[in-house]
Amino acid sequence: MIDLYSERMNEVKPSAIRELLKLGADPDVISFGGGYPDPNLFPTDQLSLVYAHVLKEQGKQALQYTISEGLPALREKLVKRMERVGVTCGLDNLFLLQGSQQGLDLVAKMLLNPGDVVITENPTFLGALIAFNAYQPNYASVSMDEEGMDMDELESVLKANPRAKIIYTVPTFQNPTGVTMSLARRKRLVALANQYNVIILEDDPYREIRYEGEPLPSIKSLDTEGRVIHLGSFSKILSPGMRLGWVIAENELAEKLCLLKMAADTQNSTLNMYAANLFLERYDIDAHITRIQKVYRKKKQIMLDAFNTYLPKSVRYTNPQGGLFTWLTLPETVDTTKLMKERVLPEAKVAYVPGATFYPLRQETNHCRFNYSCMSEEKIVKGIAAFGNILQEYC
Amino acid sequence: MIDLYSERMNEVKPSAIRELLKLGADPDVISFGGGYPDPNLFPTDQLSLVYAHVLKEQGKQALQYTISEGLPALREKLVKRMERVGVTCGLDNLFLLQGSQQGLDLVAKMLLNPGDVVITENPTFLGALIAFNAYQPNYASVSMDEEGMDMDELESVLKANPRAKIIYTVPTFQNPTGVTMSLARRKRLVALANQYNVIILEDDPYREIRYEGEPLPSIKSLDTEGRVIHLGSFSKILSPGMRLGWVIAENELAEKLCLLKMAADTQNSTLNMYAANLFLERYDIDAHITRIQKVYRKKKQIMLDAFNTYLPKSVRYTNPQGGLFTWLTLPETVDTTKLMKERVLPEAKVAYVPGATFYPLRQETNHCRFNYSCMSEEKIVKGIAAFGNILQEYC
C-alpha cells in the first residue's frame, strides 16, 4: 500500500449507503432510491435529429476544443432564459459546467480553507456534502420546516460561526425533502448573507419542474451585493447524460470560477453544447417541460395516494409542489437503514435512500427519501404496497 | 468586492499569455499556438451514424445517469487496447475522465498537501501546472535532452526534496518539446520512484500519434509496485470535443480517484461514452489513427522544411517522431513573448506559444512551441515564411 495521500482524503470516503444502493440496482428491485428523471420523457427523436444535423453541418467545430466558458450561442440563450425569471446577467457571468455538481466542487475550491464553515439545510443534498468534504470544511446546519430554512436559527448559526463562508441551499423542491423556501425567507436569507458577509450558493436544478403552486423568484434574482452564486442544470429538463449545467456569478467570482473550470477539465463536451443549443433553437423546451411536469404531478399523486392507502398513520411525508422527491418521517425508534437492509430490500424488493446520509452532523435515522419520477405508475403502487405491508408489521 | 477566497486562489491566476492567444484567434492570423488536432480528420460521417444509432436504439440509457466509473463496455475495450501495449489491468483499475486534464486535477487533489513537491520536466505541459497550482505545491524541475528527463538530475532532485510526491511526465512526444523519453530512462524512472517512494503520473495522450521510429513501452507497463498512474485520451485519436479521457491506477488509488471523480462532476457524458463505444465496435480506429499519422508526418515535414528554408541558422528546433508539437530555441537574447507581441503578430499575422509559460520555476524566454497539426499545409509554409522574414531581421 502506497500511502502518499493528502490530508483531505481523510474526508473522502465511500458513502455508507453505496453498497446498499448497489443492491437496489438489481432489476427485480423496485427502486425509489435514485434521483433519475423518467427516461421515457427524454426527447430521443428530437435529439437524434439534432446530433445528426450538428455533426453534418458543424462537425469540425463541434468535435473540436472550444473555450472553457462554453459555446457563446448556448450561453446567450441561457442568459435570456434566466432573464425571464428575473435573473439579469451578462454573457461573462454565465458559463457551462459538467452538471451543476461541478459547480459545488468549484465553488468550494474557490472559497474554502480547511476549517472554514459551510452552513447547510438539515437535511441537505448528499452530493453537495461529497463535493465539499474534499475541502475539509466544518459544517453547521439549520433546521427546516415547510417554508425551508429557519431564518432565526440561521442568524444564530451565523453569529456563532465567524468562519462561515457559504450558505448552501437547494431552495426549490429540495433534495431530499421536496420542500420549497418561501419568498419571505429568501429575502431574509439575502439580508443575512449581506449582514454576515457570506456567499449564498443557490443550487436550483428542480426549479422548472413545478407542477403545482406559484413560481417563486430565484434567490439570485433577489441578490443585492453580488454574493449569490446560482447553479442551473439541463439534467432534469433535457437529459442528465449530456452533463450540462451552468453557473451564474458576479464578475470577479465568475472569472475565478472559470479559471478553476479550465484547470479541472478544460471545458464541457463541445458536441453536447452544440446539440443543446440547436435543440433550444429548433424545439420548444417549455412545451417539453410542461410534459415532464404533467407526468411527475401524476406520479407524485399516485405515490402519495399509495402512501395514504398502505402506510401506517404514524408515517408522515412531505407533499412537494414539484421536483422528484418526497421525504418520509417514521416513528423515532425506526432505523430506516436497518429496515431497508433487513426487511424492505430482501422481502419487498423495494429500495429507497435512508435519510441518515443527508445529515452533515447528527444523523437522524428515522427518515427516508422516495423518488417518484423514475418508476412507472404500476411499479409505484406495487412498491409502496409492499413497503407498506412491512411497515404495518414493523411500526 | 467580496474577498472570501481560499488561500489556494493566490496560485490560481489568468495565464499571462491568455490575452495574447486571444489575439491569435483572429481568423486572419495563422496560428501555430493551439494544441488542436486537424478538424479535417474528425470522422464526422461515422460519428453521425453512431450517434443516430445510439439515440435510436439506446436513447433511454444513453441520455440517463450512469455510474461514475463510466460505461463498462467502453472500459472493457480500453482495457483490451491497453493490454496490446503491455499494460495489464482489471476493469476496476480503469475509468473514464472528462479528458485527461481531469486526471491531472484529481491526482493532485488526492496526493498534495500545500507545500508538497511536484517534480516536472523542464519545460512541462502548461495545463498540468494550471491543474496542480490549485493544490499549492512547490515545484522542482528536471532538465531534458533528446532522451527526455535527465535521470541523474532527477535523483539529485529526489534526494533534495523529501516532500516530493509526484513525478509528472509526458513521456511520449512531450508537450511542449516533442521529445520522447528513451526506454532506459523509463526504466530508471520507475526504479527511482520505487526507491524514493513517489508516484509517477504518466500523461500519455500522444502515444498513438507515432509516425516515425519504434514504439516504446508506456511507463505504466514497467510499473513494479503500482505507483504509476497512467492517463490516456481520445482527444487526439478521435475528438477532443467529446471530452473522453481515462485513468489507469492500482486498486486503492483507482478507488480513491473515483470517489474524487464522483465528487467533482458525478460522471462523464453517458451519451458520448455510448458513442465512443459503438465507434470502436463498428469502425477500425487503428486504420483511422494511421490516417492521422500520415497527415501529421507530412505536416511536420513541411514545417521543418520551411524552418530550414526560412529561419536563421541560429534557430534550433526539435524533430519529433510523433505528436503535435516542435520546440524552437532562439538565441538567448531573444524574448519570444515580446517578439510575438511586437512583431510577429502585428506584422506577420502569425501566432505561436511563447516558451516562458511552460517553465514551473525559472522561465527561459528564448523558446517557443509550434503546433503543426491544425493549420493547412499551405498556411504552414506561408506562416513560417512570414515568421522567418521577421526573424532574419531580428536575430
Side-chain angles (χ1 to χ4, degrees), chain A residues 167-277:
Chain A
I167 303 170
Y168 172 69
T169 175
V170 184
T172 315
F173 321 130
Q174 196 228 20
N175 181 352
T177 62
V179 164
T180 295
M181 192 187 289
S182 67
L183 179 57
R185 299 234 183 135
R186 289 173 190 235
K187 288 180 177 165
R188 177 99 187 272
L189 175 63
V190 171
L192 286 170
N194 288 345
Q195 188 181 340
Y196 289 89
N197 188 30
V198 297
I199 295 287
I200 297 170
L201 179 52
E202 178 184 38
D203 187 6
D204 213 15
Y206 311 110
R207 187 178 47 78
E208 301 204 75
I209 312 295
R210 175 182 283 281
Y211 42 71
E212 289 164 14
E214 283 306 305
L216 291 175
S218 81
I219 298 168
K220 182 67 191 161
S221 74
L222 306 169
D223 187 12
T224 52
E225 298 185 354
R227 60 174 74 244
V228 181
I229 299 176
H230 178 97
L231 301 177
S233 177
F234 277 110
S235 291
K236 310 308 186 269
I237 58 174
L238 185 58
S239 145
M242 293 167 74
R243 306 306 299 134
L244 294 172
W246 63 88
V247 60
I248 300 172
E250 169 273 342
N251 297 357
E252 191 186 272
L253 293 169
E255 205 177 294
K256 288 190 190 285
L257 283 168
C258 193
L259 291 173
L260 290 175
K261 163 75 180 168
M262 190 189 304
D265 66 3
T266 318
Q267 56 158 100
N268 270 52
S269 164
T270 319
L271 178 60
N272 292 349
M273 293 190 284
Y274 268 86
N277 181 57

Side-chain angles (χ1 to χ4, degrees), chain A residues 3-285:
Chain A
D3 194 355
L4 291 167
Y5 301 116
S6 61
E7 281 172 22
R8 71 175 61 80
M9 295 309 287
N10 295 328
E11 313 302 323
V12 177
K13 289 173 195 144
S15 158
I17 58 155
R18 211 178 168 203
E19 294 309 308
L20 209 55
L21 287 176
K22 273 189 186 161
L23 298 173
D26 175 347
D28 290 342
V29 167
I30 297 178
S31 179
F32 304 115
Y36 286 23
D38 185 341
N40 296 304
L41 290 167
F42 295 147
T44 49
D45 292 346
Q46 296 170 336
L47 284 173
S48 184
L49 294 170
V50 158
Y51 276 88
H53 184 90
V54 165
L55 283 162
K56 184 154 180 277
E57 302 296 330
Q58 302 167 300
K60 287 182 196 176
Q61 302 94 291
L63 293 170
Q64 189 59 285
Y65 288 108
T66 184
I67 52 173
S68 294
E69 290 86 345
L71 198 64
L74 177 58
R75 288 157 59 212
E76 276 167 25
K77 289 185 182 64
L78 288 170
V79 165
K80 279 190 190 145
R81 276 189 78 75
M82 295 307 299
E83 252 171 35
R84 299 190 331 189
V85 295
V87 177
T88 316
C89 71
L91 199 60
D92 289 343
N93 299 109
L94 183 150
F95 65 88
L96 273 295
L97 295 172
Q98 182 74 351
S100 49
Q101 180 71 27
Q102 187 173 44
L104 304 174
D105 178 59
L106 299 185
V107 169
K109 195 171 185 179
M110 175 172 71
L111 298 176
L112 297 180
N113 291 318
D116 283 347
V117 173
V118 178
I119 301 173
T120 74
E121 289 152 344
N122 200 39
T124 188
F125 173 45
L126 174 61
L129 297 177
I130 288 174
F132 300 157
N133 283 345
Y135 302 98
Q136 303 161 275
N138 290 324
Y139 290 104
S141 63
V142 178
S143 312
M144 302 171 75
D145 59 22
E146 65 283 357
E147 285 187 63
M149 260 189 190
D150 178 323
M151 290 296 145
D152 291 333
E153 191 178 322
L154 174 62
E155 179 151 26
S156 309
V157 166
L158 283 164
K159 265 187 199 148
N161 288 284
R163 288 191 65 183
K165 282 226 179 131
I166 301 172
I167 303 170
Y168 172 69
T169 175
V170 184
T172 315
F173 321 130
Q174 196 228 20
N175 181 352
T177 62
V179 164
T180 295
M181 192 187 289
S182 67
L183 179 57
R185 299 234 183 135
R186 289 173 190 235
K187 288 180 177 165
R188 177 99 187 272
L189 175 63
V190 171
L192 286 170
N194 288 345
Q195 188 181 340
Y196 289 89
N197 188 30
V198 297
I199 295 287
I200 297 170
L201 179 52
E202 178 184 38
D203 187 6
D204 213 15
Y206 311 110
R207 187 178 47 78
E208 301 204 75
I209 312 295
R210 175 182 283 281
Y211 42 71
E212 289 164 14
E214 283 306 305
L216 291 175
S218 81
I219 298 168
K220 182 67 191 161
S221 74
L222 306 169
D223 187 12
T224 52
E225 298 185 354
R227 60 174 74 244
V228 181
I229 299 176
H230 178 97
L231 301 177
S233 177
F234 277 110
S235 291
K236 310 308 186 269
I237 58 174
L238 185 58
S239 145
M242 293 167 74
R243 306 306 299 134
L244 294 172
W246 63 88
V247 60
I248 300 172
E250 169 273 342
N251 297 357
E252 191 186 272
L253 293 169
E255 205 177 294
K256 288 190 190 285
L257 283 168
C258 193
L259 291 173
L260 290 175
K261 163 75 180 168
M262 190 189 304
D265 66 3
T266 318
Q267 56 158 100
N268 270 52
S269 164
T270 319
L271 178 60
N272 292 349
M273 293 190 284
Y274 268 86
N277 181 57
L278 188 59
F279 182 90
L280 292 177
E281 229 163 83
R282 279 198 176 179
Y283 302 106
D284 182 350
I285 195 170

Side-chain angles (χ1 to χ4, degrees), chain B residues 142-206:
Chain B
V142 177
S143 311
M144 303 172 75
D145 59 24
E146 65 283 357
E147 287 186 63
M149 259 190 191
D150 179 324
M151 289 297 146
D152 291 333
E153 190 177 324
L154 174 61
E155 179 152 25
S156 310
V157 166
L158 283 164
K159 266 188 198 149
N161 288 282
R163 288 192 65 184
K165 283 226 179 131
I166 300 172
I167 303 171
Y168 172 70
T169 175
V170 183
T172 315
F173 320 129
Q174 196 227 21
N175 181 352
T177 63
V179 164
T180 295
M181 192 187 291
S182 67
L183 179 57
R185 298 231 184 140
R186 287 172 192 236
K187 288 180 176 167
R188 177 102 189 271
L189 176 63
V190 171
L192 286 171
N194 289 344
Q195 187 182 340
Y196 289 90
N197 187 30
V198 298
I199 295 287
I200 298 171
L201 179 52
E202 178 184 38
D203 187 5
D204 212 16
Y206 311 110

Side-chain angles (χ1 to χ4, degrees), chain B residues 115-387:
Chain B
D116 283 346
V117 173
V118 178
I119 301 173
T120 73
E121 288 151 345
N122 200 38
T124 188
F125 173 45
L126 174 62
L129 297 177
I130 288 174
F132 300 157
N133 283 345
Y135 302 98
Q136 300 160 276
N138 290 325
Y139 290 104
S141 62
V142 177
S143 311
M144 303 172 75
D145 59 24
E146 65 283 357
E147 287 186 63
M149 259 190 191
D150 179 324
M151 289 297 146
D152 291 333
E153 190 177 324
L154 174 61
E155 179 152 25
S156 310
V157 166
L158 283 164
K159 266 188 198 149
N161 288 282
R163 288 192 65 184
K165 283 226 179 131
I166 300 172
I167 303 171
Y168 172 70
T169 175
V170 183
T172 315
F173 320 129
Q174 196 227 21
N175 181 352
T177 63
V179 164
T180 295
M181 192 187 291
S182 67
L183 179 57
R185 298 231 184 140
R186 287 172 192 236
K187 288 180 176 167
R188 177 102 189 271
L189 176 63
V190 171
L192 286 171
N194 289 344
Q195 187 182 340
Y196 289 90
N197 187 30
V198 298
I199 295 287
I200 298 171
L201 179 52
E202 178 184 38
D203 187 5
D204 212 16
Y206 311 110
R207 187 177 47 77
E208 302 203 74
I209 312 295
R210 175 183 283 281
Y211 43 70
E212 289 164 14
E214 284 306 304
L216 291 175
S218 81
I219 299 169
K220 181 68 190 160
S221 73
L222 307 170
D223 187 11
T224 52
E225 298 185 352
R227 60 174 73 246
V228 181
I229 299 176
H230 178 97
L231 301 178
S233 177
F234 278 109
S235 291
K236 310 305 187 271
I237 58 174
L238 186 58
S239 144
M242 292 168 74
R243 305 305 300 134
L244 293 172
W246 63 89
V247 61
I248 300 172
E250 167 275 340
N251 297 357
E252 192 186 272
L253 293 170
E255 204 177 294
K256 288 190 190 285
L257 283 169
C258 194
L259 290 173
L260 291 176
K261 164 75 181 169
M262 191 189 303
D265 65 4
T266 318
Q267 56 158 99
N268 269 52
S269 164
T270 320
L271 178 60
N272 291 349
M273 292 190 285
Y274 268 86
N277 181 57
L278 187 60
F279 183 89
L280 292 178
E281 230 163 81
R282 280 198 175 179
Y283 302 106
D284 182 351
I285 194 170
D286 294 313
H288 176 63
I289 293 169
T290 303
R291 276 192 297 278
I292 297 174
Q293 290 164 347
K294 275 188 192 157
V295 171
Y296 289 3
R297 178 174 48 215
K298 186 161 177 215
K299 286 189 174 189
K300 181 206 73 168
Q301 206 46 60
I302 287 169
M303 184 174 273
L304 262 60
D305 289 347
F307 283 170
N308 191 42
T309 308
Y310 297 108
L311 302 193
K313 296 305 161 204
S314 57
V315 177
R316 288 175 295 124
Y317 43 85
T318 59
N319 183 0
Q321 297 190 312
L324 279 62
F325 306 108
T326 172
W327 180 249
L328 274 64
T329 300
L330 279 67
E332 280 194 14
T333 52
V334 178
D335 178 336
T336 56
T337 306
K338 203 162 163 267
L339 174 69
M340 175 158 147
K341 201 168 170 175
E342 294 178 2
R343 304 287 310 273
V344 178
L345 251 181
E347 293 175 34
K349 302 269 179 203
V350 164
Y352 53 77
V353 185
T357 190
F358 297 102
Y359 291 86
L361 298 167
R362 195 184 66 81
Q363 302 198 327
E364 297 181 15
T365 58
N366 61 318
H367 307 275
C368 44
R369 188 191 75 179
F370 272 68
N371 165 282
Y372 49 80
S373 59
C374 194
M375 287 289 124
S376 66
E377 298 177 6
E378 295 68 32
K379 283 195 173 172
I380 290 174
V381 176
K382 193 178 160 200
I384 300 304
F387 174 58

